[in-house]
Amino acid sequence: MANELADNVKIKLISSITPTEGEEERYEMWLHGTLVERAGTPYIKYEEVQENQKIETTIKCTSEKALILRSGAVKMRLPLNSVAVQDGHYENMYGQIPLQTKTTTLLFEQEENKGRFLANYDLLINGESVGHYKLELQYQEV
């Protein structure tokens, strides 16, 4: 694709989920992926395996808006915007669930060979929060 640059990156993914009723769950993973720049916008791409099934994730990163796309065993479109509630969806073998996100923090910092993406948001189903989510990716070119 014209106007596209890609670099291999090592990613530290930190994810925490605090359900509306329940205890915080925290995950930390080291992954390999790519940082792709299309028309001046950075995208982080990586693959993870959950329960022996592959999930490919692409995150379009800016500090104003972000978009998390997942495909494979799980399909998800999760837009993040710190100014307005956004509509998305989650799909698995049982069907599709409409979601909304209410983002409280959205940050993307990029330096010469490394960067950081941070998103804090509430996940809403039928207008009700089902939990608070924090996703942080720290990456470094390899």
Side-chain angles (χ1 to χ4, degrees), residues 115-129:
R116 178 175 172 240
F117 172 79
L118 173 66
N120 290 316
Y121 59 94
D122 287 319
L123 189 63
L124 311 167
I125 298 178
N126 295 325
E128 297 292 322
S129 177

Side-chain angles (χ1 to χ4, degrees), residues 68-101:
I68 301 171
L69 298 171
R70 300 183 92 188
S71 62
V74 169
K75 292 179 178 65
M76 182 177 74
R77 182 180 186 282
L78 201 65
L80 302 169
N81 182 330
S82 56
V83 178
V85 172
Q86 299 290 293
D87 294 323
H89 66 269
Y90 175 89
E91 185 178 336
N92 62 18
M93 64 178 143
Y94 304 109
Q96 189 177 80
I97 301 168
L99 305 171
Q100 291 182 309
T101 57

Side-chain angles (χ1 to χ4, degrees), residues 1 7 48 51 56 59 65 97-98 102 105 116 118 132 134-135:
M1 175 180 249
D7 293 303
E48 61 187 282
E51 299 174 9
E56 295 176 9
I59 302 175
K65 294 181 186 177
I97 301 168
K102 184 178 180 183
T105 305
R116 178 175 172 240
L118 173 66
H132 183 75
K134 178 180 180 180
L135 176 65

Side-chain angles (χ1 to χ4, degrees), residues 46-57 70-75:
Y46 60 89
E47 185 178 280
E48 61 187 282
V49 177
Q50 291 183 5
E51 299 174 9
N52 295 323
Q53 296 187 321
K54 290 182 183 178
I55 301 170
E56 295 176 9
T57 301
R70 300 183 92 188
S71 62
V74 169
K75 292 179 178 65

Side-chain angles (χ1 to χ4, degrees), residues 28-40:
E28 188 172 306
M29 291 183 248
W30 285 94
L31 305 161
H32 289 279
T34 55
L35 175 65
V36 179
E37 193 167 306
R38 291 187 186 144

